Amino acid sequence: MSKHFLQMILTIACVLLLAGCGASDQNTISMDPSMQVTVPEDPDGTEDPDEGALTQTPKTGGEIYLVMSIDTEKRLIGLGLPDSARTIQYGYSKATQILDDHGQFMSAGKLTPGRAVTLGALDDEAKLTVIQLAEEAWYQENITRFSIDPTIGMLTIGDTKYRYGDHLRVFSGDQEISLEQVGENDVISVQGLEKQILSVQVTTGHGTIALTNTELFEGGWISLGTKIYAKITPDMLLEVPEGTYELSVANDGYGDSKTVEVARAQITTVDLNEYKGEGPKTCMVTFEIHVEGAQLFINGDPIEYEDPVELRYGVYQLMVIADGFETWERQLVIHSKEATIQIGEPQLTEDTEAPEEEPDEQETDTDTDTEDASQGADDEAGDQSVTSDDAQTGTDAEALSDSSTGDYSDYLDTITDLIASLVRLKNE
């Protein structure tokens, strides 16, 4: 072997050795093939790849995701993990199977924010093959009895306590909100897993009515529909469930009614100068008291009620006293030209049994026992009287069947309560 040949062999070995010594593993990236992450482009080179939305191959082994958004036009679904603030996004196609928690097909429109889902694999076009409501997660709707204790991370539904973590997802419609924005009068739906709350959705929220120019009506009353009553105070703020209301105010001969719309998480300003009109106004109230020998008192003064009684717009305390019967008291809010108040049952006798009252599941509790005398000539069917037979059966009078506001529900309830109390005391 020649000297030149040996030198050439040594040279090649040195080159290979130096190449091996100069290699560095600092830029080597190892990746689980089932978790392929694509980092969004960052033209400035300053984006932290841990921040923002990521696209990744979904885990198909029962991993639970929470729907954050759904775009049915572009067929994109945004998802979050229950224990992370990070969001991910996938595409789906017409071929994607969208299933409920029983494995039945359903529309993509039912994938509302907050719902827990599991995912199938991606197809050849990187679209999801399956989106299914998580079988192991529970979902409860129309919750009105709940409380939240943020100091210990606890949400109580009825009498059952659940915990929630730092990354609890809360939605109002399609918008993500904070838990502090959930009002005690809201209606919510909850997604959970065992004793853990995964998400909260506000299905019926609340808004605020702000009263301005309250001076004339301070000390009077405001009513919203037939279930919400409150005494008017300076620059009053009233938090109520979202919806459309017949708002009425009355005090010292002044008052009116108008329709207002209360939007979720919005402030509706009501200028009471628009409600005073020309005053003072009066109402002709007809009292039909079907208890023999009954005495009527208004604000403590005895009243002869054979003929209609003229009262100024405002709030009055009614009291009816009859021998052998329980004293009956109600507040009367007057803000119409005419009203008829029926008390008692025309066919009431000592042998009459009180009708059984069925609970009204739709009734909202209030702390104020108030009779609304808004029905009158101002309403389309306001000059029609309500019979106590209607109160007994729990059905509206035929003349009132076209009413869409339900203005008479409290009125009928009041008559039923009175009949029951009168008969109960008489039979004792």
Side-chain angles (χ1 to χ4, degrees), residues 158-207:
D159 297 321
T160 306
K161 302 181 186 301
Y162 300 90
R163 63 183 181 275
Y164 62 86
D166 295 336
H167 301 294
L168 176 68
R169 306 284 189 169
V170 184
F171 299 90
S172 178
D174 295 332
Q175 301 297 316
E176 189 169 9
I177 63 174
S178 67
L179 190 60
E180 290 74 19
Q181 291 175 270
V182 180
E184 62 180 11
N185 294 320
D186 289 351
V187 179
I188 64 174
S189 297
V190 172
Q191 182 83 71
L193 183 63
E194 296 178 345
K195 287 292 187 177
Q196 180 78 21
I197 300 295
L198 302 179
S199 66
V200 175
Q201 304 89 37
V202 176
T203 53
T204 302
H206 63 277

Side-chain angles (χ1 to χ4, degrees), residues 339-397:
T340 298
I341 305 297
Q342 293 202 18
I343 303 173
E345 166 60 48
Q347 291 81 30
L348 188 65
T349 66
E350 292 188 4
D351 297 329
T352 303
E353 293 186 1
E356 289 188 11
E357 297 181 56
E358 295 184 0
D360 183 1
E361 296 181 356
Q362 302 300 320
E363 185 173 349
T364 302
D365 293 334
T366 66
D367 295 330
T368 306
D369 200 2
T370 308
E371 181 80 19
D372 190 348
S374 61
Q375 65 269 28
D378 292 340
D379 298 320
E380 182 176 351
D383 56 352
Q384 304 291 335
S385 62
V386 181
T387 69
S388 50
D389 285 340
D390 297 319
Q392 281 188 321
T393 60
T395 59
D396 292 334

